[in-house]
Amino acid sequence: MASLDLQDISKRYSNLAAVDTLSLSIADGELVCLLGPSGSGKSTLLRMIGGFEIPSSGKILIDGVDVAPVPPDKRPTAMVFQSHALWTHMNVWENIAFGLKLRKFSRDEVAAKIARVMELVGLTGYEKRHPSQLSGGQQQRVAIARSIVLEPKILLLDEPFASLDQHLREHLREEVRQIQRQLGITTIFVTHGQDEALALADRIVVMSKGKIEQVGTPDEIYARPQTEFVAGFIGVMNLVSATVSGGSLAFAGEALSAPVADGLATLAIRPEDWKVGEGAGLKATVTRTVNLGAYVLADVALPDGTTVKVHLDKARAVREGDPIEIGIGPFALYRDNMVIHRS
Amino acid sequence: MIRRFDLAGLVIAAALVFFILLPVLTVFIWAFAEQWFYPSLLPTKWGLRFWSKVLERPDVWSAFWTSMKITTLVTGLSALICLPAAYAFARMEFPGRQAFMMSFLMATAFPRFAITISLAVLFLVFNLVGTVTGVVIVQLLTTLLLMIWLPTAAFRGVSRNMEEAARDVGAGPLRVFWSITLPQALPSIAAAVLMTFVWTFYETEGAWLVGAPRITTMPILMMQMINNQMVVQYGAVLSVLLWVPSLAALLLARRVLGSDTFAKGLGA
């Protein structure tokens, strides 16, 4: 169990910076999700922590020791790959025992450790199977067992469930969370699925173009996105460009108080933050509805032609073409990607 | 459901039987024939007389051991040289990698007879003509293409993540190669080694041009017997004898690797 400190880490390929002078501190026992679109540098960052890529510059401190020049076999990290990367010429037992044997544990110790970890991932009895005889979820569990049996200081997971179906993914996500809590192991989880990050993480690191956009708890990231990128990337967000002049913002014929400098800005409002109903202010029309189970996500056309997304209660039973009245609720303003005002 | 009678398939099968199986069968029958005169369809007298005659000849046994010695040497050396090279081609990036592979291919596409002749001339200067060393070198050169290309493809097919996962749990680079990369690539490598062995065993041009007259391998002896003797049976018996080691090797490979992996190794 350990803390991790990344100091001004960069990875440059010729002229392109996959990771650009990035710094991040992760506390002992924390589960952190690196979240971002493909090409944001999150996997490269994880591979640098694991030792599979050498940073162009910067330090990687594990419990205060710089491991940047240390090869992966000598690092106290363990990685679970997206492709699970089980060794197909070995059975499950041999896969998990490989690292233990390299560490010169006695035969009894190896057997005891494997029995414990197999129980932890719920695969007791599958020791003699070959990877090809396991389902995708079981294969990924073996990969996790293979990593945690070595009691690494830091566990790294590189989109481990990307190739599994939604249901299994949610199930395994919960299991990983439980195992992580039980062992108290510092864990970094790379994903491009925001629901995975929101459900799993103590803290989320949102990345874009090799840089950190925002670090925060899932609640913070969702409720108070610091940048327009995060606002647009996490959850559903209405982003409408509008002009501020004299401390007031013109939106669909209404003037909103906005104590910021004059100029263009982006108004951001969540679909669930609209006021809906009589007297809300803006007379609009429902143009499309999507049933999302617990609620309806509706496209609503405002009088000035702008279309926005609005959460509606099922009880409202709206249909396409129905008139509706909505009003601005809590919103945020962004300029040059940064938040400049919240209300 | 009634399967449609496929005429084309039948014709192809019949042609294969006629052109491949029939000649083989003829040789087989000759090996067990003591008398076979023109008009009769089958030998007039069957027997193993020529087998004992062939097996009694000391030149057959010495040729067999010469062949085994040279073939084993060539296969072993070829593996020693080519497998590391194949790994390098598959995994390492160095300038001129592509160019080297291409030049290699082009050199191998060049008519072998011409190359062998020029090598034989070169070997005259170095006193390698008529020596085991000379034959080994000339045969080694013919194995390089197969022993580099097939294993290169095999090594390239090994998932990098698998190797990284092994590094991750604490294996050094050599250990990763030995415990992960090599076993993963083994079916193809075994196929390459096996084919090298069989091809080398039957290699004639090089062995003849460089080895003659002092080195006599099995195929060379067979040629001599067929050319110099009026008795057909000697050649036939020797052919059947020569067929045994290659069949044994192929059967062994099938058993060890399973027919699936073996076929995969051969590129099927």
Side-chain angles (χ1 to χ4, degrees), chain A residues 38 42 103 148 175 207 213 258 273:
Chain A
S38 27
K42 56 193 193 304
R103 282 168 178 67
I148 58 179
E175 275 186 32
M207 290 182 66
E213 288 279 332
D273 285 344

Side-chain angles (χ1 to χ4, degrees), chain A residues 57-185:
Chain A
S57 60
K59 284 182 181 172
I60 300 170
L61 304 175
I62 296 177
D63 279 342
V65 181
D66 185 16
V67 297
V70 178
D73 43 316
K74 304 219 162 54
R75 280 193 199 197
T77 55
M79 177 111 134
V80 176
F81 295 85
Q82 180 183 340
S83 62
H84 62 69
L86 294 178
W87 304 307
T88 48
H89 59 290
M90 303 180 186
N91 65 23
V92 169
W93 201 90
E94 290 163 336
N95 264 279
I96 302 175
F98 186 71
L100 293 170
K101 284 179 182 164
L102 289 171
R103 282 168 178 67
K104 308 258 183 273
F105 283 108
S106 76
R107 196 179 290 207
D108 291 347
E109 281 172 310
V110 170
K113 279 173 188 287
I114 292 180
R116 213 178 313 141
V117 81
M118 288 295 273
E119 198 190 327
L120 196 62
V121 298
L123 281 178
T124 307
Y126 286 83
E127 289 83 355
K128 294 279 173 275
R129 298 275 190 103
H130 272 268
S132 59
Q133 296 169 299
L134 300 176
S135 69
Q138 289 168 332
Q139 288 173 339
Q140 207 48 275
R141 280 193 197 129
V142 174
I144 291 168
R146 181 175 71 180
S147 290
I148 58 179
V149 77
L150 302 170
E151 294 167 29
K153 287 186 171 178
I154 296 173
L155 180 63
L156 309 169
L157 299 111
D158 189 4
E159 307 206 24
F161 310 139
S163 58
L164 307 175
D165 66 61
Q166 177 72 18
H167 185 72
L168 193 58
R169 197 154 57 210
E170 282 170 20
H171 186 69
L172 275 175
R173 178 203 293 168
E174 279 315 302
E175 275 186 32
V176 162
R177 188 63 177 141
Q178 267 177 22
I179 291 170
Q180 193 267 343
R181 285 259 165 78
Q182 215 170 325
L183 302 176
I185 185 171

Side-chain angles (χ1 to χ4, degrees), chain A residues 35-54:
Chain A
L35 178 64
S38 27
S40 59
K42 56 193 193 304
S43 275
T44 308
L45 182 62
L46 194 79
R47 287 175 59 80
M48 284 196 282
I49 300 168
F52 301 109
E53 305 280 352
I54 298 163

Side-chain angles (χ1 to χ4, degrees), chain B residues 20-60:
Chain B
I20 296 174
L21 283 183
L22 212 62
V24 172
L25 197 67
T26 314
V27 174
F28 251 82
I29 293 173
W30 263 119
F32 297 97
E34 288 187 6
Q35 255 182 20
W36 194 354
F37 294 122
Y38 165 64
S40 48
L41 202 63
L42 285 171
T44 35
K45 196 174 167 206
W46 297 84
L48 289 171
R49 194 158 63 85
F50 286 95
W51 281 79
S52 49
K53 273 200 169 173
V54 165
L55 290 176
E56 272 164 16
R57 295 176 64 125
D59 58 346
V60 168

Side-chain angles (χ1 to χ4, degrees), chain A residues 274-296:
Chain A
W274 297 99
K275 289 179 227 151
V276 181
E278 296 264 321
L282 297 165
K283 294 202 189 321
T285 315
V286 175
T287 56
R288 186 167 164 263
T289 59
V290 179
N291 186 346
L292 291 179
Y295 53 84
V296 172

Side-chain angles (χ1 to χ4, degrees), chain B:
Chain B
M1 207 174 85
I2 299 162
R3 181 170 290 191
R4 205 168 56 82
F5 183 74
D6 198 333
L7 192 71
L10 193 77
V11 169
I12 290 169
L16 283 177
V17 167
F18 189 78
F19 287 109
I20 296 174
L21 283 183
L22 212 62
V24 172
L25 197 67
T26 314
V27 174
F28 251 82
I29 293 173
W30 263 119
F32 297 97
E34 288 187 6
Q35 255 182 20
W36 194 354
F37 294 122
Y38 165 64
S40 48
L41 202 63
L42 285 171
T44 35
K45 196 174 167 206
W46 297 84
L48 289 171
R49 194 158 63 85
F50 286 95
W51 281 79
S52 49
K53 273 200 169 173
V54 165
L55 290 176
E56 272 164 16
R57 295 176 64 125
D59 58 346
V60 168
W61 284 103
S62 86
F64 178 74
W65 290 118
T66 307
S67 271
M68 285 307 276
K69 186 170 75 183
I70 290 177
T71 305
T72 311
L73 257 171
V74 168
T75 309
L77 282 174
S78 184
L80 215 63
I81 295 166
C82 296
L83 293 184
Y87 186 74
F89 283 133
R91 276 293 186 257
M92 294 164 196
E93 284 296 331
F94 50 86
R97 197 178 134 255
Q98 285 294 331
F100 191 87
M101 277 306 242
M102 274 317 288
S103 65
F104 202 66
L105 189 68
M106 278 154 70
T108 314
F110 202 77
R112 189 172 321 284
F113 198 74
I115 292 181
T116 312
I117 294 265
S118 60
L119 269 174
V121 172
L122 195 68
F123 281 8
L124 271 176
V125 181
F126 292 105
N127 271 331
L128 286 170
V129 168
T131 65
V132 169
T133 317
V135 175
V136 166
I137 292 174
V138 107
Q139 292 192 332
L140 191 59
L141 292 175
T142 67
T143 66
L144 291 182
L145 182 78
L146 181 77
M147 279 292 266
I148 288 185
W149 278 75
L150 210 54
T152 298
F155 284 133
R156 204 170 276 159
V158 177
S159 139
R160 236 170 231 264
N161 278 350
M162 269 193 211
E163 295 178 327
E164 286 176 344
R167 285 302 295 273
D168 199 48
V169 300
L174 277 176
R175 183 66 198 234
V176 172
F177 179 79
W178 187 250
S179 298
I180 309 299
T181 317
L182 199 59
Q184 285 285 329
L186 198 60
S188 302
I189 289 173
V193 169
L194 191 86
M195 283 168 72
T196 299
F197 190 91
V198 173
W199 283 6
T200 307
F201 198 89
Y202 292 101
E203 203 279 337
T204 345
E205 285 168 20
W208 178 58
L209 282 168
V210 172
R214 266 173 289 170
I215 307 290
T216 309
T217 61
M218 281 293 259
I220 301 238
L221 184 70
M222 185 174 71
M223 275 168 55
Q224 286 171 358
M225 284 187 170
I226 293 169
N227 286 340
N228 307 340
Q229 314 228 1
M230 290 315 287
V231 185
V232 183
Q233 282 89 332
Y234 280 120
V237 167
L238 217 52
S239 302
V240 175
L241 270 179
L242 274 174
W243 172 69
V244 172
S246 82
L247 184 72
L250 284 166
L251 285 178
L252 190 77
R254 256 187 77 108
R255 181 117 158 245
V256 171
L257 303 166
S259 51
D260 277 2
T261 41
F262 187 57
K264 215 188 282 169
L266 293 173

